[in-house]
Every structure is written in structure tokens, then in C-alpha cells.
Amino acid sequence: MNIFDGALTRLKSAAKIINLDKSILDSLSNPERIIELSLPLKRNNGKTEVFKGYRVQYNNWLGPYKGGLRFHPQVDMDEVKSLSFWMMIKNAIADVPFGGGKGGIELDPKSLDVSELEKLTRQFAKSLAPNIGPLVDVPAPDVNTNSQILDWVEDEYAKITKDKSKAVVTGKSIKNGGSLGREEATGLGGFFVLEELIKKLNFKKPLTVAIQGFGNVGSNIATILCSNGYKIVAVSDIKGGIYDSKEMGFNIELVRACRLEKGKLAGCYCIGSVCDLAPKNDGVITNEQLLELDVDILIPAALENVITKENADKIRAKIVFEMANGPTTVEADEILNRKGIMVVPDVLANSGGVTVSYFEWYQNMHKEKWSLEKVNEKLKEKMVKAFDEIWKIHKEKKVNLRMAAYILALQRLTKKAKIS
Ligand code: NAD
């Protein structure tokens, strides 16, 4: 099953439980607009290479399309469509006035130097400019994109449209209109949800945690959990992982520092990498082994489709906490459910990022600057509220948390349906 079919399978299951109107289900089963771009780049060696760019504007019943830009070799239409669909569900759950969108370029950003990356990003922004805007479609960061990339997109858009509000994208640098707290928001939002969940489950700290992916999301949630009584016993990035078999828990600050010191990154990416730490460490593990560790909480925080029907039976964690988008396939979900493993779905667990993106957009639109305390306080409020609403549906309808989350989203979308 491809990932978009998987996304629709979950939509249909939730629709069935609440007897969703067929016209709503049909409307939500297809994106409203698909943009496919050809992006020629003259490389520094004089040769021209053509890259494929995408933006899918899935649905805007709740507000402007909103979702990240991903630069990765695996980016294709099926992936971007799925990610934009999940953004629609996530934004409805987070109760922010946005619809779903997502975009990206099929590219390994490490293959370009910074000047080439800037040229390509600006070309992408120019091509997208007629179809994005603060009240139309608001991109943000995702895998391999950061505040620098979003600053370039904002700058290019402002040059073309003369719009100086900065609200066309979120995840910008602070000096360019970004919000305090956006960088850590996805990890912090996840932490707020996890704290609520362990209270409900009556789990006592210290709890052991394994995290796959050590980028923005993985490294931030690792730092926050580490200073709040959790033991991070394994972390990994694309090149592999490290495992603390004595289960003392890593000092995440040291891991981060080592990553920074050893990191060798083309362009402005992935400053440092735990893979450089791994070869010197006894506890070197593969990404596959990390997923199968006997820990309390497993946090996939890299890419989609890592827990599949092939390895789901080997998962030993008590909670799978999805910080990545789409890490668990439909088939794997069924196996985990059968095994009694609690899966906290991506659309809830990682919605802190878009929540603070909304705060950033709001501050830009209203020319406000919020303190970090205000941002984090409001983030906590929203995350706890979303968790409580989903938990209530989970209990009342006796459905798993993913179905409960989809039901909440579908109820909100139905109220704002635009069907003529
Ligand atoms: P990032 O580029 O900062 O980091 C990605 C991490 O995953 C890196 O450590 C990379 O080495 C690792 N990785 C890549 N391929 C891998 C593989 N095959 N196996 C193991 N590790 C691999 O990206 P990010 O922003 O941290 O995003 C991670 C996930 O979280 C994605 O699914 C993204 O869609 C999701 N997400 C991100 C945000 C956000 O605010 N950045 C918000 C919501 C969801």
C-alpha cells in the first residue's frame, strides 16, 4: 500500500465510525490543488541540473493552507500528498485556523553548497509566489529545511509581491520575524502531551526512551525529556545510533556538543551528527535495532514508514510516540494495537510545531512580539486541550488514539465544510 492510500484508509475508518456524510468524505479524499515544478539550477561547475519541486494544497476549509517544505531525495508526489493530508488533520486537531498543505524538492541538500542551495530555494520561492501568501498558503520548515531556508523564501516572496508582513512563511529566524520558541516547539509540544499521557496511564518516572532521528524534532525532545526525569537510552540519525546498554541515560547536552564538534555538513544542514559519535562508542546500533529495544517509550522522529508489518511484531516499547509524520504503516498499526502498545499519533504528538507556527503568523499579522514564556504557556494550553479532547473520544467511543484524533478532526472539518 502506498502512503497516500494508507492515509485514506485511516480517513475511511474514522469516517465509518462517525457515519460521516459521503460528500464530505469524497471531498477530503482528494487534494484541492497540486503544483508540480521543474527547477533548473546552474551548478557552480557550470552544469545545469533540473530538480522537481512540489506543493500540494490539500484543503482550506479551516483557513489558509499550511505545512512544511521538505528537501529530501525521497520527496515525491505520493509523499507530499500524504503529508499535506496529515497537515489538514493536524491543524484541525490543534484548532488553528489553517488548512493542510505541504511541499518540497526532490533533492539531497548535502549535495549542494550554500550558494547553490540559496539559488535553488529562491527559484522554488519565485515559482510558488503566485500561489502562496499570508491568507492563501503559508509554508514552514520540515526535514532538511530550517530558518535560513524560510528566510530566503520570505525574502523572495516580499521582493515579488512587496508584502512586508513576513507572514507568508513561518519558522523564520527571530531577526526576520520568527517567533521565540518555534525552534523547540515541536519537541516541547510533544513533551506536554507525553506528560499528560503518562499521568493517565499511571506510569512512574524514570521511564526509558529510544529516539530515532536527531534533527530539530528528535534532538529537542531528547533535551527536554532528559531534563524532566526521563532516561534517553538510545538515539540515532541517518547513519546509525548509539545505545546506552546500562540504561543510565545519555547526557543529551554532551551528545549534542559532540555532534556539533564532529559534524561535517555541506551547506547549513544537520550541524553535527550522532553518527560521528557512534563508531567510538561500544553501544553502536542500527536504526532497525533501535526500534526494537525494550524501552518504555519509543519515539520515531525521522521519516515515515519505519514501523511496518515486517518489524511491528518485534516492537517491545509500551508506548510508540510518533514525533515523525507517518512513521507507522496501517498494517503495523493493527499489529501494535493487537499487542496492546499505545500509539500516540503524529497528528497529535507533533502538532506543537504548527501551533507555534500559528503564533508566529499571528504575531506577524498583528505586528506583535510575544515573550518566550507567553509562547510556551499558550503552547501548553493548546497541547493539553487537544490531548484531553482526544482522550475523551478514545474512552467514549472505545477507539484507539489515532482514530480518536481523526474523529475530532473530521468533526471540526465538517462544521466548516465548503461544498456548494
Ligand atoms: P531534520 O531534518 O531536522 O532531522 C531529521 C533527522 O532524521 C536527522 O537526524 C536525520 O539524520 C534523521 N534521518 C533521516 N533519514 C533517516 C533514516 N532513514 N533513518 C534514521 N534517521 C534518519 O527534520 P525534523 O524537522 O526533525 O523532522 C523529523 C520528522 O518530524 C519528520 O517526519 C517531519 O515531518 C516531522 N515534523 C517536523 C516538524 C518541525 O517543526 N520540524 C513538525 C512536525 C513534524
Side-chain angles (χ1 to χ4, degrees):
M1 190 185 307
N2 68 25
I3 40 174
F4 187 60
D5 287 342
L8 292 188
T9 301
R10 283 162 176 160
L11 169 69
K12 284 179 199 145
S13 305
K16 201 167 158 197
I17 297 168
I18 55 169
N19 216 357
L20 187 72
D21 189 282
K22 187 176 177 310
S23 62
I24 306 257
L25 176 61
D26 290 348
S27 305
L28 299 182
S29 299
N30 288 292
E32 287 170 2
R33 185 187 292 155
I34 282 176
I35 300 166
E36 207 167 342
L37 301 164
S38 172
L39 304 167
L41 171 74
K42 190 149 192 195
R43 302 284 308 261
N44 291 345
N45 62 10
K47 290 191 183 142
T48 298
E49 212 171 313
V50 182
F51 294 89
K52 273 190 186 158
Y54 304 91
R55 184 78 187 166
V56 175
Q57 299 179 328
Y58 201 93
N59 179 283
N60 68 357
W61 293 352
L62 300 181
Y65 306 102
K66 179 104 192 72
L69 298 176
R70 177 176 291 197
F71 290 179
H72 194 278
Q74 269 174 34
V75 166
D76 62 16
M77 187 50 85
D78 186 51
E79 183 185 68
V80 179
K81 250 163 74 172
S82 312
L83 289 163
S84 66
F85 167 85
W86 290 322
M87 285 308 299
M88 167 185 78
I89 300 289
K90 190 185 306 182
N91 292 339
I93 288 168
D95 208 8
V96 291
F98 289 125
K102 200 87 180 189
I105 305 179
E106 183 190 336
L107 151 82
D108 177 2
K110 289 179 205 128
S111 68
L112 304 185
D113 82 359
V114 182
S115 65
E116 293 171 323
L117 195 57
E118 177 172 356
K119 240 189 337 183
L120 183 64
T121 303
R122 287 184 181 278
Q123 175 61 31
F124 188 35
K126 257 190 236 166
S127 307
L128 285 180
N131 292 300
I132 59 175
L135 297 174
V136 182
D137 183 355
V138 185
D142 192 67
V143 174
N144 284 335
T145 57
N146 55 17
S147 57
Q148 174 62 83
I149 302 276
L150 275 301
D151 283 354
W152 289 330
V153 175
E154 185 282 320
D155 185 52
E156 209 53 46
Y157 177 82
K159 273 190 210 157
I160 294 167
T161 62
K162 313 287 175 238
D163 176 347
K164 301 281 182 233
S165 73
K166 310 266 182 202
V168 61
V169 296
T170 57
K172 302 176 292 290
S173 63
I174 306 293
K175 65 176 181 346
N176 191 39
S179 176
L180 292 171
R182 174 60 185 87
E183 192 80 22
E184 319 79 67
T186 311
L188 185 60
F191 164 70
F192 291 139
V193 170
L194 187 55
E195 289 277 284
E196 294 306 301
L197 178 72
I198 65 166
K199 268 190 248 162
K200 296 278 187 209
L201 299 179
N202 217 6
F203 279 19
K204 297 279 173 273
K205 290 182 194 172
L207 296 164
T208 54
V209 185
I211 304 178
Q212 182 188 60
F214 206 67
N216 172 299
V217 174
S219 68
N220 276 306
I221 197 162
T223 301
I224 297 162
L225 294 180
C226 188
S227 46
N228 283 279
Y230 296 79
K231 279 189 191 172
I232 314 298
V233 299
V235 286
S236 69
D237 71 6
I238 191 164
K239 293 188 190 156
I242 46 175
Y243 172 47
D244 168 17
S245 56
K246 296 191 185 76
E247 300 203 341
M248 305 292 288
F250 285 120
N251 178 332
I252 292 297
E253 284 316 309
L254 288 183
V255 175
R256 273 184 179 239
C258 170
R259 202 179 58 130
L260 262 175
E261 184 200 327
K262 307 277 178 189
K264 44 179 185 322
L265 307 167
C268 44
Y269 287 102
C270 165
I271 300 285
S273 156
V274 288
C275 44
D276 295 320
L277 184 68
K280 291 192 205 121
N281 190 297
D282 288 341
V284 177
I285 50 167
T286 63
N287 267 295
E288 292 70 33
Q289 288 168 326
L290 180 140
L291 295 172
E292 297 165 14
L293 289 173
D294 188 6
V295 289
D296 295 310
I297 303 160
L298 171 65
I299 305 188
L303 294 179
E304 52 271 6
N305 288 356
V306 293
I307 305 178
T308 64
K309 63 178 186 306
E310 273 72 40
N311 64 359
D313 248 330
K314 298 185 207 145
I315 304 290
R316 289 185 284 167
K318 298 180 186 74
I319 298 170
V320 172
F321 197 80
E322 295 185 339
M323 291 302 288
N325 282 309
T328 312
T329 66
V330 173
E331 297 90 342
D333 234 355
E334 281 167 20
I335 299 170
L336 297 180
N337 281 326
R338 218 182 305 130
K339 285 172 58 134
I341 295 173
M342 172 135 309
V343 180
V344 181
D346 45 7
V347 287
L348 168 65
N350 71 31
S351 61
V354 76
T355 300
V356 176
S357 269
Y358 164 57
F359 298 159
E360 179 176 332
W361 176 86
Y362 183 96
Q363 290 170 75
N364 294 156
M365 295 295 275
H366 295 87
K367 298 189 174 18
E368 291 180 12
K369 281 263 172 222
W370 295 1
S371 68
L372 183 60
E373 291 67 33
K374 179 168 174 177
V375 170
N376 289 348
E377 208 174 284
K378 283 184 161 287
L379 172 63
K380 182 170 183 184
E381 219 171 86
K382 275 206 163 285
M383 299 305 297
V384 171
K385 182 167 172 279
F387 173 81
D388 284 345
E389 286 167 327
I390 289 169
W391 190 262
K392 193 160 171 253
I393 298 172
H394 157 66
K395 287 291 175 193
E396 278 176 9
K397 296 207 179 289
K398 297 189 174 33
V399 292
N400 65 33
L401 289 179
R402 192 182 317 275
M403 276 305 106
Y406 274 59
I407 289 170
L408 177 64
L410 291 178
Q411 287 167 342
R412 292 205 170 124
L413 283 157
T414 301
K415 280 192 199 141
K416 294 280 177 94
K418 290 186 203 158
I419 299 176
S420 45

